[in-house]
Amino acid sequence: MHAKNQGDYPRDSSPKISFIQRHLRLVILWPLSALLLIALLWGVVYSKLENDKKILQENAAKQAVSISKAYAQYLTRSIEQLDQLAQQIKYGWEQSKGYLGFEEMIGKGLLNVPQFSSVAIYDVDGRPLTTSVPVTQMFTVSDREYFKFHAHNMSTELRISTPTIGRLSKERIVQVTRRLENEDGTFAGVLVLGLAPEFFTLFADDPILGHDGVLAFIGNDGVERVAQMRGRKNDALSLVSFPLRPEHSASNIVSNTRQYADTDTHFIATQKLKGYPFFVMVGLSKEDILLPYENNLALYRKIALFGSALLLLFATAAMWMSVRLAWRKQQADAIRETYRIATEGGNEGFYILLPMRDRNEFITDFQVVDCNEKGASFYNMSKDKFTGVKVSDFYSGEYFDKVMQAYRIAMETGFFEDDYQVPADSPIDAEWLKRKFVRSDNGLAITLRDISEPKRHEREMSRLATEDGLTALPNRHWFMSYLPKALENAKANATMLAILFIDLDDFKNVNDTLGHSAGDQLLCTVAKRLRSVLRPSDKVIRIGGDEFTVILEAIHSEEEAAHIAHAINQVLREPFEIPRDTTSQKNRIGCSIGISIFPRDGQDVETLIKNADIAMYAAKTGSKGQFRFYDHTLYEDIKMRLNTEQELQQAIKEDQFLIYYQPRVQTQTGKLLGIEALIRWQHPTRGLVLPNDFISLAEESGLINPIGELVVDKVCAQLASWRKQGVEVVPVSVNVSPHQFNEGKVKKSIAASLAKHGIPASLLEIELTESAMMRNIGDIFDELTAINEMGIKVHVDDFGTGYSSLSLLQRLDMDILKIDQAFTSQLGRGKDGEIFFTAIVSMAKALGMRVVAEGVETLEQLHILQTLSCDEVQGYYVAWPLPADNIADIIRKQNLFP
Ligand SMILES: Nc1nc2c(ncn2[C@@H]2O[C@H](COP(=O)(O)O[C@H]3[C@@H](O)[C@H](n4cnc5c(=O)[nH]c(N)nc54)O[C@@H]3COP(=O)(O)O)[C@@H](O)[C@H]2O)c(=O)[nH]1
């Protein structure tokens, strides 16, 4: 199968398109809502503005009416005054029979001339009869419209003209006229009052007209007498075109319909003058009236625009977020669904839980909103029934709290995982579960896997790894993992802790003599006995071989540890009954115990173990079957031993060893039969060091091997030297440590030295202590036999101390039994010593072995031995161990007895 390059795949946008199609509602909901809100906003704004406008317009109309009424009243009063004045002048003139002069009237105060541009009376021909203004040139007004009217009409009504240039005043004036009559009622002339047109529009100065208001004084004939536009000094008539209609004869409102010369729209109100054939017209400029509206309109538009922009922005953001949320939810659902399907056939239970919160947003419970069949089956339910259940439906009390705690941690941190040991009262039928909680969106995705079987296996493996297979006690591995925890506890609780290192004494002996199976049985019994004397809380561990440790926790004194150590010593001192074939044998061992105490002997695991080991070593090197507490002087001893070990290594390198020789003679004759080689260490500072001071250390450190080889080689060299000197040599016996047999090289190295120095095997003999032989017989038997077969005689040294069995000695085909000097020293002190010797001599004879008495120091001892038929003797009485140079002379002697 070849993988396609990423670029080979067409970019598939269909999932997104289909998502958008499915969630079209989300896509259009917010913009649509925003558009509706915007429309509402604009509607409200415009409705308010229109309302404001309407109110303004209504107010304007009312205002126009009230102004027109006031103007009508004003004009009515003014015209009444003019009419009154005209009546008075007419009356005065008619009474004076045409002789009333204005100079006289002005002089009498009957005529207030300054308010008029001119006052004049014209005769029937239209020529001035009397005037308030001097006539400079004769003229006639007979062509004037008012003159013609009065001349031909009997009417006495007051007439007011449109503005015109007065022939008398030469000014632009409005002429107020009245017919004058003779007594018989015939036409007598015309009274003309000339007034400036502004007289009729003084009212227009009232600021309530506004900047572009219109004011007009109009006759019922539809002809404007005077009109004034505020702020304009032009002739009103030229500015205004106002065709009169019947309805204008009364108070009226005409809105937005009239176009005046300024092209403005006005709110018009007309008002009829009472008693006169005139009416007034007041027009308030729409521009003035609607100025606040226009201002508000701009402001409100801005606000609405800003609001619309905000709404659109919000809607876009909301749409984007809701679509994104829906997309993420769809993805999460898809993942969840995929996971559920994927886990459906598997071993994992899968659940989606949603938290249930209280008023304070604290999670109080969880509800299952999805799961797979496996998940439901953990609770012995079907998926359908399990979906919708709450955690509290299954758990309560402390158990519920624990489950909720884990869930809450997962909700807070996003993840929780553990191996969970299912409590016995759980509804889940499993011993162990692997729980994984992952926070997903608002809930928790949970997987549960039954890991009871792997856990059982793990536990078994762990048991095997931490348990000693033979005794079922915890092993070293467990010990090393448990001790740090125990130490931490002790530190935390400020209590004492004791570590007891137990090493069985002489266990190897049992193993070697009775076999490994017997040794195993003994170890099991030791384990049982140890447990029997310990408290349940104490830990006993088999470290390996015949070594055990005990951990005593929470002790309060050293005495407590001492008490238990003593009990262990006692219980292990009891004989062990070990079945052998059909019978059983009782064996005695014992143990050496080293004790270290926390905190006194160390603060850490390593130090405490090391110090318990040192204490045990000290117990072992002292008299066995004891316990010892660690103290720092033990450490000094160890240091000294280490130092000596280093010096021994140096001694080997520098050949600081000497061989002393001690003769062995025939008991009856004193004839030299053999010589024992005894090592000495010529120490550079300590002088001549005896073997008891370094052999055991050499054995423990393994240095006994090179030292042993060195001794054999030196002896062979000496034998060769004596032979070369013509000395008639006798066999020389060499002490061999059982430790040398561990490497199986004894025979090889002896053979090599014999060959090197050309010495026959018959001149070399080896001595092996009885106890060493008995302890290690398994290891040394074959090699000892091989050495024997080379023709090298084997002596059993220190006989009487090692509990050897006669049959074994027979099997090993030993040549000489050297009875320990402890028995020799008893000779002459009672019958027991002699009885022992007699028995040994007869037994040895029966086995074909010769008997040597060691440590013969007195003549009396010699005599006794002679009477007891002991074959040979060795001791200071005969000769001390001497350097090789001194031995040659001795060899030549026939009788070595003094
Ligand atoms: N593995 C090796 N062990 C050796 C070697 N050389 C010696 N040894 C062992 O060391 C022990 C002590 O030996 P040493 O101090 O040399 O003592 C020997 C004699 O000096 C002593 N002896 C001899 N006669 C008398 C006596 O009349 N009285 C008395 N109190 N002591 C006497 O006895 C020791 C010899 O004993 P044994 O070996 O049992 O014959 C000693 O155990 C040696 O075995 C060596 O090279 N390798």
Side-chain angles (χ1 to χ4, degrees), residues 658-660 662-663 676-680 689-695 699 704 707-708 710-712 715 733-738 740 767 769 796-799 818-821 824 852-858 861 874-881:
L658 301 172
I659 305 295
Y660 274 42
Q662 186 178 35
E676 182 179 359
L678 297 160
I679 193 168
R680 301 289 183 264
V689 181
L690 293 175
N692 278 341
D693 292 337
F694 64 89
I695 287 293
E699 285 176 339
I704 194 66
I707 291 173
L710 196 144
V711 170
V712 171
V715 167
S733 63
V734 175
N735 288 285
V736 178
S737 162
Q740 288 175 252
E767 296 192 14
T769 62
V796 179
D797 203 2
D798 299 341
F799 186 79
K818 294 184 79 175
I819 297 173
D820 192 78
Q821 51 185 268
T824 307
V852 179
E854 286 185 314
V856 178
E857 294 180 349
T858 63
Q861 288 168 346
Q874 183 183 339
Y876 297 159
Y877 180 75
V878 181
W880 282 71

Coordinates of all heavy atoms in Angstrom, one line a residue, residues 658-660 662-663 676-680 689-695 699 704 707-708 710-712 715 733-738 740 767 769 796-799 818-821 824 852-858 861 874-881, ligand 1:
L658 N 58.0 -16.3 56.9 CA 59.1 -17.2 57.2 C 58.4 -18.5 57.6 O 57.3 -18.6 58.0 CB 59.9 -16.8 58.4 CG 60.6 -15.4 58.4 CD1 61.2 -15.1 59.7 CD2 61.7 -15.5 57.3
I659 N 59.2 -19.6 57.4 CA 58.6 -20.9 57.9 C 59.5 -21.4 59.0 O 60.7 -21.5 59.0 CB 58.6 -22.0 56.7 CG1 57.9 -21.4 55.5 CG2 58.0 -23.3 57.2 CD1 56.4 -21.2 55.6
Y660 N 58.8 -21.7 60.1 CA 59.4 -22.4 61.3 C 59.0 -23.8 61.2 O 58.0 -24.2 60.7 CB 58.9 -21.8 62.6 CG 59.7 -20.5 63.0 CD1 60.1 -19.6 62.1 CD2 60.1 -20.4 64.4 CE1 60.8 -18.4 62.5 CE2 60.8 -19.2 64.8 CZ 61.2 -18.3 63.8 OH 61.9 -17.2 64.2
Q662 N 58.8 -27.6 63.3 CA 58.7 -28.3 64.6 C 58.7 -29.8 64.4 O 57.8 -30.3 63.7 CB 57.5 -27.9 65.4 CG 57.5 -28.4 66.8 CD 56.3 -28.0 67.7 OE1 55.2 -27.9 67.1 NE2 56.5 -27.9 68.9
P663 N 59.7 -30.5 65.0 CA 59.8 -31.9 64.7 C 58.7 -32.7 65.4 O 58.1 -32.3 66.4 CB 61.1 -32.3 65.4 CG 61.9 -31.0 65.6 CD 60.8 -30.0 65.7
E676 N 56.6 -30.4 61.2 CA 55.5 -29.6 60.9 C 56.0 -28.2 60.5 O 56.7 -27.5 61.2 CB 54.4 -29.4 62.0 CG 53.2 -28.6 61.6 CD 52.2 -28.5 62.7 OE1 52.4 -29.1 63.8 OE2 51.1 -27.8 62.5
A677 N 55.5 -27.7 59.3 CA 55.9 -26.3 58.9 C 54.9 -25.3 59.5 O 53.7 -25.5 59.3 CB 55.9 -26.3 57.4
L678 N 55.4 -24.3 60.1 CA 54.5 -23.3 60.8 C 54.9 -21.9 60.3 O 56.1 -21.5 60.4 CB 54.6 -23.4 62.3 CG 54.1 -24.7 62.9 CD1 54.7 -24.9 64.3 CD2 52.6 -24.8 62.9
I679 N 53.9 -21.2 59.8 CA 54.3 -19.9 59.2 C 54.5 -18.8 60.2 O 53.9 -18.9 61.3 CB 53.1 -19.5 58.2 CG1 53.6 -18.3 57.3 CG2 51.8 -19.2 58.9 CD1 52.7 -18.1 56.1
R680 N 55.4 -17.9 59.9 CA 55.6 -16.7 60.7 C 55.6 -15.5 59.8 O 56.0 -15.6 58.6 CB 56.9 -16.8 61.5 CG 57.0 -18.0 62.4 CD 56.1 -17.8 63.6 NE 56.2 -18.9 64.6 CZ 55.4 -19.9 64.6 NH1 54.5 -20.1 63.7 NH2 55.6 -20.8 65.6
V689 N 55.2 -12.0 63.8 CA 53.8 -12.2 64.1 C 53.4 -13.6 63.9 O 53.7 -14.3 62.9 CB 52.9 -11.3 63.2 CG1 51.4 -11.4 63.5 CG2 53.3 -9.8 63.3
L690 N 52.7 -14.2 65.0 CA 52.3 -15.6 64.9 C 51.0 -15.8 64.1 O 50.2 -14.9 64.0 CB 52.1 -16.1 66.4 CG 53.4 -16.1 67.2 CD1 53.0 -16.5 68.7 CD2 54.4 -17.1 66.7
P691 N 50.9 -17.0 63.6 CA 49.7 -17.3 62.7 C 48.4 -17.0 63.2 O 47.5 -16.6 62.5 CB 49.9 -18.7 62.3 CG 51.0 -19.3 63.1 CD 51.8 -18.2 63.7
N692 N 48.2 -17.2 64.5 CA 46.9 -17.0 65.1 C 46.4 -15.5 64.9 O 45.2 -15.2 65.0 CB 46.8 -17.4 66.6 CG 46.6 -18.9 66.8 OD1 46.2 -19.5 65.8 ND2 47.0 -19.4 67.9
D693 N 47.4 -14.6 64.7 CA 47.1 -13.2 64.6 C 46.8 -12.8 63.1 O 46.4 -11.7 62.9 CB 48.2 -12.4 65.1 CG 48.4 -12.5 66.6 OD1 47.4 -12.9 67.3 OD2 49.5 -12.2 67.1
F694 N 46.9 -13.7 62.2 CA 46.6 -13.2 60.8 C 46.0 -14.3 60.0 O 45.4 -14.0 58.9 CB 47.9 -12.7 60.1 CG 49.0 -13.7 59.9 CD1 49.0 -14.4 58.7 CD2 50.0 -13.8 60.8 CE1 50.0 -15.3 58.5 CE2 51.0 -14.7 60.6 CZ 51.1 -15.5 59.4
I695 N 46.0 -15.6 60.4 CA 45.5 -16.7 59.5 C 44.0 -16.5 59.3 O 43.5 -16.6 58.2 CB 45.8 -18.1 60.0 CG1 47.3 -18.3 59.8 CG2 45.0 -19.2 59.3 CD1 47.8 -18.5 58.4
E699 N 42.1 -16.0 55.9 CA 41.0 -16.9 55.5 C 39.8 -16.1 55.0 O 39.2 -16.3 54.0 CB 40.6 -17.9 56.6 CG 41.7 -19.0 56.7 CD 41.4 -19.9 57.9 OE1 40.6 -19.5 58.8 OE2 41.9 -21.0 57.9
I704 N 44.3 -16.3 52.1 CA 44.9 -17.6 52.5 C 45.4 -18.4 51.3 O 46.3 -19.3 51.4 CB 43.9 -18.4 53.4 CG1 44.5 -19.6 54.1 CG2 42.7 -18.9 52.5 CD1 45.5 -19.2 55.1
I707 N 48.8 -17.2 50.3 CA 49.7 -17.5 51.4 C 49.9 -19.0 51.5 O 51.1 -19.5 51.7 CB 49.1 -17.0 52.8 CG1 49.2 -15.5 52.7 CG2 49.9 -17.5 54.0 CD1 48.5 -14.8 53.9
G708 N 48.9 -19.8 51.3 CA 49.0 -21.3 51.4 C 49.9 -21.8 50.3 O 50.8 -22.7 50.5
L710 N 52.2 -20.1 48.9 CA 53.6 -19.6 49.3 C 54.3 -20.6 50.3 O 55.4 -20.9 50.1 CB 53.4 -18.2 49.8 CG 54.5 -17.2 50.0 CD1 53.9 -15.9 49.7 CD2 54.9 -17.3 51.5
V711 N 53.5 -21.0 51.3 CA 54.0 -21.9 52.3 C 54.5 -23.2 51.7 O 55.6 -23.7 51.9 CB 53.0 -22.2 53.4 CG1 53.4 -23.3 54.3 CG2 52.7 -20.9 54.2
V712 N 53.6 -23.8 50.8 CA 54.0 -25.1 50.2 C 55.3 -24.9 49.3 O 56.2 -25.8 49.4 CB 52.8 -25.6 49.3 CG1 53.2 -26.8 48.4 CG2 51.6 -26.0 50.1
V715 N 58.3 -24.6 51.6 CA 58.6 -25.9 52.2 C 59.4 -26.8 51.2 O 60.4 -27.4 51.4 CB 57.4 -26.6 52.8 CG1 57.6 -28.0 53.1 CG2 56.9 -25.8 54.0
S733 N 55.1 -31.7 57.1 CA 53.6 -31.5 57.0 C 53.3 -29.9 56.9 O 53.9 -29.2 57.6 CB 52.8 -32.1 58.1 OG 53.2 -31.6 59.3
V734 N 52.4 -29.6 56.1 CA 51.9 -28.2 55.9 C 50.5 -28.1 56.3 O 49.6 -28.9 55.9 CB 52.1 -27.8 54.4 CG1 51.6 -26.4 54.1 CG2 53.6 -27.9 54.0
N735 N 50.2 -27.0 57.1 CA 48.8 -26.7 57.4 C 48.0 -26.1 56.3 O 48.5 -25.1 55.7 CB 48.7 -25.8 58.6 CG 49.2 -26.4 59.9 OD1 48.5 -27.2 60.5 ND2 50.4 -26.1 60.3
V736 N 46.9 -26.8 55.9 CA 46.1 -26.2 54.8 C 44.7 -25.8 55.4 O 44.1 -26.6 56.1 CB 45.9 -27.3 53.7 CG1 45.0 -26.8 52.6 CG2 47.3 -27.7 53.1
S737 N 44.4 -24.6 55.0 CA 43.1 -24.1 55.5 C 42.0 -24.6 54.6 O 42.1 -24.8 53.4 CB 43.1 -22.6 55.4 OG 41.8 -22.1 55.4
P738 N 40.8 -25.0 55.2 CA 39.7 -25.4 54.4 C 39.3 -24.4 53.3 O 38.8 -24.7 52.3 CB 38.6 -25.7 55.4 CG 39.0 -24.9 56.6 CD 40.5 -24.9 56.6
Q740 N 41.2 -22.9 51.4 CA 42.0 -23.1 50.2 C 41.3 -24.0 49.2 O 41.5 -24.0 48.0 CB 43.4 -23.6 50.5 CG 44.2 -22.5 51.2 CD 45.6 -23.1 51.7 OE1 45.8 -23.2 52.8 NE2 46.4 -23.4 50.7
E767 N 48.1 -31.0 56.7 CA 47.3 -31.1 58.0 C 46.0 -30.2 57.8 O 46.1 -29.1 57.3 CB 48.1 -30.5 59.1 CG 49.4 -31.3 59.4 CD 50.0 -31.0 60.8 OE1 49.3 -30.3 61.6 OE2 51.1 -31.4 61.0
T769 N 42.5 -29.3 59.9 CA 41.8 -29.4 61.3 C 40.5 -30.2 61.2 O 39.8 -30.2 60.1 CB 41.5 -28.0 61.9 OG1 40.6 -27.4 61.0 CG2 42.7 -27.2 62.1
V796 N 44.8 -35.5 60.4 CA 43.7 -34.8 61.0 C 44.2 -34.0 62.2 O 44.6 -34.6 63.2 CB 42.6 -35.8 61.4 CG1 41.4 -35.1 62.0 CG2 42.1 -36.6 60.2
D797 N 44.2 -32.7 62.0 CA 44.8 -31.8 63.1 C 43.8 -31.5 64.1 O 42.5 -31.5 63.9 CB 45.3 -30.5 62.4 CG 46.3 -29.8 63.2 OD1 46.7 -30.4 64.2 OD2 46.8 -28.7 62.7
D798 N 44.2 -31.2 65.3 CA 43.4 -30.8 66.4 C 42.2 -31.7 66.7 O 41.1 -31.3 67.0 CB 42.8 -29.4 66.2 CG 43.8 -28.3 66.0 OD1 45.0 -28.5 66.5 OD2 43.5 -27.2 65.4
F799 N 42.5 -33.0 66.5 CA 41.5 -34.0 66.6 C 40.9 -34.0 68.1 O 41.6 -33.8 69.0 CB 42.0 -35.4 66.3 CG 41.0 -36.5 66.3 CD1 40.1 -36.6 65.2 CD2 40.7 -37.3 67.5 CE1 39.1 -37.6 65.2 CE2 39.7 -38.2 67.5 CZ 38.9 -38.4 66.3
K818 N 46.1 -36.2 64.8 CA 46.9 -35.4 65.7 C 46.0 -34.9 66.8 O 45.1 -34.0 66.5 CB 47.6 -34.2 65.0 CG 48.6 -34.6 64.0 CD 49.4 -33.5 63.3 CE 50.4 -32.9 64.3 NZ 51.2 -31.9 63.6
I819 N 46.1 -35.5 68.0 CA 45.2 -35.1 69.1 C 45.5 -33.7 69.6 O 46.7 -33.4 69.9 CB 45.3 -36.2 70.2 CG1 44.8 -37.5 69.5 CG2 44.4 -35.8 71.4 CD1 44.9 -38.7 70.4
D820 N 44.5 -33.0 69.7 CA 44.7 -31.6 70.1 C 45.4 -31.4 71.5 O 45.2 -32.2 72.4 CB 43.3 -30.9 70.2 CG 43.4 -29.4 70.3 OD1 43.6 -28.8 69.3 OD2 43.3 -28.9 71.5
Q821 N 46.2 -30.4 71.6 CA 47.0 -30.3 72.8 C 46.2 -30.1 74.0 O 46.7 -30.3 75.1 CB 48.0 -29.1 72.6 CG 47.4 -27.8 72.1 CD 48.5 -26.8 71.9 OE1 48.8 -26.0 72.8 NE2 49.1 -26.8 70.7
T824 N 46.2 -33.4 75.5 CA 47.5 -33.7 76.0 C 47.8 -33.1 77.4 O 48.3 -33.7 78.3 CB 48.6 -33.3 75.0 OG1 48.3 -33.8 73.7 CG2 50.0 -33.7 75.4
V852 N 49.2 -39.0 66.9 CA 50.2 -38.0 67.3 C 49.6 -37.2 68.5 O 48.5 -36.7 68.3 CB 50.6 -37.1 66.2 CG1 51.7 -36.1 66.7 CG2 51.1 -37.9 65.0
A853 N 50.4 -37.1 69.5 CA 49.9 -36.2 70.6 C 50.6 -34.9 70.5 O 51.8 -34.8 70.4 CB 50.3 -36.8 72.0
E854 N 49.8 -33.8 70.4 CA 50.3 -32.5 70.2 C 50.5 -31.8 71.5 O 49.9 -32.2 72.5 CB 49.3 -31.6 69.4 CG 49.2 -31.9 67.9 CD 48.3 -31.0 67.2 OE1 47.2 -30.7 67.7 OE2 48.7 -30.4 66.1
G855 N 51.4 -30.9 71.5 CA 51.6 -30.0 72.7 C 52.2 -30.8 73.9 O 51.8 -30.5 75.1
V856 N 53.1 -31.7 73.6 CA 53.7 -32.4 74.7 C 54.8 -31.5 75.3 O 55.7 -31.1 74.6 CB 54.3 -33.7 74.3 CG1 55.0 -34.5 75.4 CG2 53.3 -34.6 73.6
E857 N 54.6 -31.1 76.6 CA 55.5 -30.2 77.1 C 56.3 -30.7 78.3 O 57.3 -30.1 78.7 CB 54.6 -29.0 77.7 CG 54.0 -28.2 76.5 CD 53.1 -27.0 77.1 OE1 52.9 -26.9 78.3 OE2 52.7 -26.2 76.2
T858 N 55.8 -31.9 78.8 CA 56.6 -32.4 80.0 C 57.0 -33.9 79.8 O 56.4 -34.6 78.9 CB 55.7 -32.3 81.2 OG1 54.5 -33.2 81.0 CG2 55.2 -30.9 81.5
Q861 N 54.1 -36.2 80.7 CA 53.2 -36.4 79.5 C 53.7 -37.4 78.6 O 53.0 -38.3 78.1 CB 52.9 -35.1 78.8 CG 52.1 -34.1 79.6 CD 52.0 -32.7 79.0 OE1 52.9 -32.4 78.2 NE2 51.1 -31.9 79.5
Q874 N 54.7 -34.5 69.7 CA 55.2 -33.2 69.2 C 54.9 -32.2 70.2 O 53.9 -32.2 70.9 CB 54.4 -32.8 67.9 CG 54.9 -31.6 67.2 CD 54.0 -31.2 66.0 OE1 53.4 -32.1 65.4 NE2 54.1 -29.9 65.6
G875 N 55.9 -31.4 70.5 CA 55.7 -30.4 71.5 C 57.0 -29.8 72.0 O 58.1 -30.2 71.6
Y876 N 56.8 -28.8 72.8 CA 58.0 -28.0 73.3 C 59.0 -28.9 74.0 O 60.2 -28.7 74.1 CB 57.5 -26.9 74.2 CG 56.7 -25.8 73.6 CD1 55.9 -25.0 74.3 CD2 56.7 -25.6 72.2 CE1 55.1 -24.0 73.8 CE2 55.9 -24.7 71.6 CZ 55.0 -23.8 72.4 OH 54.3 -22.9 71.8
Y877 N 58.4 -30.0 74.6 CA 59.3 -30.9 75.4 C 60.3 -31.5 74.4 O 61.5 -31.7 74.8 CB 58.5 -32.0 76.1 CG 59.4 -32.9 76.8 CD1 60.0 -32.5 78.1 CD2 59.7 -34.2 76.4 CE1 60.9 -33.4 78.7 CE2 60.6 -35.1 77.0 CZ 61.2 -34.6 78.2 OH 62.1 -35.5 78.9
V878 N 59.9 -31.8 73.2 CA 60.8 -32.4 72.2 C 61.6 -31.3 71.5 O 62.8 -31.3 71.5 CB 60.0 -33.2 71.2 CG1 60.9 -33.9 70.2 CG2 59.1 -34.3 71.9
A879 N 60.8 -30.3 70.9 CA 61.5 -29.2 70.3 C 60.5 -28.1 70.0 O 59.3 -28.3 69.7 CB 62.1 -29.7 68.9
W880 N 60.9 -26.9 70.1 CA 60.1 -25.7 69.8 C 60.1 -25.6 68.2 O 61.0 -26.0 67.5 CB 60.7 -24.4 70.4 CG 60.4 -24.3 71.9 CD1 60.9 -25.1 72.9 CD2 59.4 -23.4 72.4 NE1 60.4 -24.7 74.1 CE2 59.4 -23.7 73.8 CE3 58.6 -22.4 71.9 CZ2 58.6 -22.9 74.7 CZ3 57.8 -21.7 72.9 CH2 57.8 -22.0 74.2
P881 N 59.1 -24.9 67.7 CA 59.2 -24.5 66.3 C 60.5 -23.7 66.1 O 60.6 -22.7 66.8 CB 57.9 -23.8 66.0 CG 57.0 -24.1 67.1 CD 57.9 -24.4 68.3
Ligands
LIG1 N1 46.7 -22.7 57.4 C1 47.8 -22.5 58.0 N2 47.8 -22.6 59.3 C2 49.0 -22.5 60.0 C3 50.2 -22.4 59.3 N3 51.1 -22.3 60.2 C4 50.6 -22.4 61.4 N4 49.3 -22.5 61.3 C5 48.3 -22.7 62.3 O1 48.4 -21.6 63.1 C6 48.1 -22.1 64.5 C7 49.1 -21.6 65.4 O2 50.3 -22.0 65.0 P1 51.6 -21.6 65.9 O3 51.4 -20.4 66.5 O4 52.7 -21.9 65.0 O5 51.5 -22.7 67.0 C8 51.9 -24.0 66.7 C9 52.9 -24.4 67.7 O6 53.8 -23.4 67.9 C10 52.2 -24.8 68.9 N5 52.9 -25.8 69.8 C11 53.7 -26.7 69.4 N6 54.2 -27.4 70.6 C12 53.5 -26.9 71.6 C13 53.5 -27.1 72.9 O7 54.2 -28.0 73.5 N7 52.7 -26.4 73.7 C14 51.9 -25.3 73.1 N8 51.2 -24.6 74.0 N9 52.0 -25.1 71.9 C15 52.7 -25.8 71.1 O8 51.1 -25.5 68.4 C16 50.7 -24.9 67.1 C17 50.7 -26.1 66.1 O9 49.5 -26.6 66.2 P2 48.9 -27.6 65.2 O10 48.9 -26.9 63.8 O11 47.5 -27.9 65.6 O12 49.8 -28.7 65.1 C18 48.0 -23.5 64.4 O13 46.7 -24.0 64.6 C19 48.5 -23.9 63.1 O14 47.8 -25.0 62.5 C20 50.2 -22.4 57.9 O15 51.2 -22.3 57.2 N10 49.0 -22.5 57.3

